[in-house]
Amino acid sequence: NMALTMYSRAQGLEYEHRRILFDDDAFARVGTWKNAVIFKALADEDERSAYTPTIQRMEMHILRAAALLAMHDGCETVSMPYVLAAIKIAEDWFDGFQEMRKQIVGSDFAARTREVLQFIKSRGTKAVPLAVVYRKFSNYPPRIVEEWIEALKVREEIYANGNKVAARGSKHE
């Protein structure tokens, strides 16, 4: 069993410096996978910019995993079956990563909309000018604050009256 073999320092260095080559088709398949994920599966520009660093790192992990699988089988060249097996593992991991990110973003979105609603409610029965809301949350881009306000309107927790917003149940309703 290779896992239990003890190497001298010289043997370890010799083992570490082994080289393994990829078939041209197998190597190209990894690039095709990366481009397909970045440009087809992630059509939304925001998602693409969020995921691209992860996908680029994953490309290197796919190459490494395919090489390890081939080396484990005693191959000196990485062929397509090893790359496809590594891609399958990466896709499973990526699906889980996407789901986790969506849950985190969703919970953050919910927390921020609650924060905006609490701010509007804290003003009592007064309608709050949108400029005041944007100023209060100026550490976020206005586009994001607008999304939170729109979500609260859709859920009918606030309403807009011109350039002001108020919580449902206030005297401005």
Side-chain angles (χ1 to χ4, degrees), residues 22-23 25-27 29 62 65-67 69-70 73 75 77-89:
F22 280 76
D23 286 344
D25 291 343
F27 189 78
R29 180 65 179 90
I62 290 170
L69 291 169
D73 286 351
C75 300
T77 304
V78 180
S79 58
M80 190 65 78
Y82 298 107
V83 167
L84 294 176
I87 286 174
K88 173 65 175 129
I89 293 166

Side-chain angles (χ1 to χ4, degrees), residues 47-67:
E47 275 193 358
R48 188 179 305 144
S49 65
Y51 286 117
T52 296
T54 300
I55 294 166
Q56 289 173 335
R57 283 190 303 274
M58 195 175 300
E59 177 185 31
M60 292 306 300
H61 294 308
I62 290 170
L63 293 170
R64 287 184 185 121

Side-chain angles (χ1 to χ4, degrees), residues 136-152:
K136 166 71 175 162
F137 297 96
S138 62
N139 51 333
Y140 298 100
R143 173 181 57 85
I144 300 297
V145 177
E146 187 176 326
E147 287 178 14
W148 299 335
I149 292 169
E150 287 303 314
L152 290 168

Side-chain angles (χ1 to χ4, degrees), residues 7 25-26 31 34 64 81 91 94-95 97 116 118 123 146 150 170:
Y7 289 109
D25 291 343
K34 179 183 81 168
R64 287 184 185 121
E91 286 176 344
F94 187 68
D95 288 344
F97 177 75
V116 170
Q118 289 304 324
R123 305 294 290 223
E146 187 176 326
E150 287 303 314
S170 70

